[in-house]
Amino acid sequence: MTSSILWGLILALHLLCITYWVGGTIFCLQSRRTVRLLEAQQASTVMLQTYGRFLRALCHVVPVAVLSGIALIIHAGAYLPWPFHLMALCGVVMIVIFLSMLFGPLRAARRAIRPQPQLFTSLHRRAALMALVGIIAIIAGALGGGA
């Protein structure tokens, strides 16, 4: 009984991490539409803060999601159906995209005196790709992650 509660808590933690990861990415994508009403300098400041805070929080969420995912895979046993493999692949792709956002355009935008709109376009495209991969992982989990 205690074991099932523990694995249920690990699954809940994993789902919370993925919810923050994908939901926060979608929030960042939607915030771009709202800052269009601001002046260019104010919009770039808001976008820089939005992406900066989100990616800084992901620095804590990603390791927890990875460790809880590995624990769930170990708990599932030897044979895993294809949705597990697809979710793991999507997780690795999302980590690569996250790191490319963190050490690429975001770092350049923070160092710039006046960040160029191309940096935010690059962040936006990578966030859209990360959201798409995350949604694919969620669909894969719904198809057979609990098998």
Side-chain angles (χ1 to χ4, degrees), residues 58-75:
L58 274 186
C59 288
H60 302 286
V61 170
V62 169
V64 174
V66 169
L67 291 175
S68 61
I70 289 171
L72 289 169
I73 286 175
I74 290 171
H75 176 69

Side-chain angles (χ1 to χ4, degrees), residues 61-100:
V61 170
V62 169
V64 174
V66 169
L67 291 175
S68 61
I70 289 171
L72 289 169
I73 286 175
I74 290 171
H75 176 69
Y79 173 74
L80 297 175
W82 66 268
F84 280 91
H85 298 289
L86 182 59
M87 286 187 288
L89 175 67
C90 288
V92 170
V93 171
M94 288 173 67
I95 290 169
V96 169
I97 295 170
F98 158 66
L99 292 174
S100 74

Side-chain angles (χ1 to χ4, degrees), residues 1-73:
M1 167 120 171
T2 307
S3 176
S4 63
I5 292 173
L6 175 67
W7 291 111
L9 290 174
I10 291 174
L11 177 62
L13 180 66
H14 186 71
L15 291 175
L16 284 173
C17 289
I18 299 304
T19 301
Y20 180 81
W21 198 345
V22 176
T25 304
I26 293 171
F27 173 78
C28 285
L29 292 173
Q30 290 301 319
S31 66
R32 183 178 183 197
R33 293 182 181 181
T34 59
V35 299
R36 289 182 184 164
L37 301 173
L38 300 172
E39 294 176 12
Q41 184 62 32
Q42 290 175 337
S44 65
T45 302
V46 169
M47 288 305 299
L48 185 60
Q49 289 180 0
T50 302
Y51 276 107
R53 289 177 181 164
F54 171 63
L55 293 175
R56 190 171 34 248
L58 274 186
C59 288
H60 302 286
V61 170
V62 169
V64 174
V66 169
L67 291 175
S68 61
I70 289 171
L72 289 169
I73 286 175

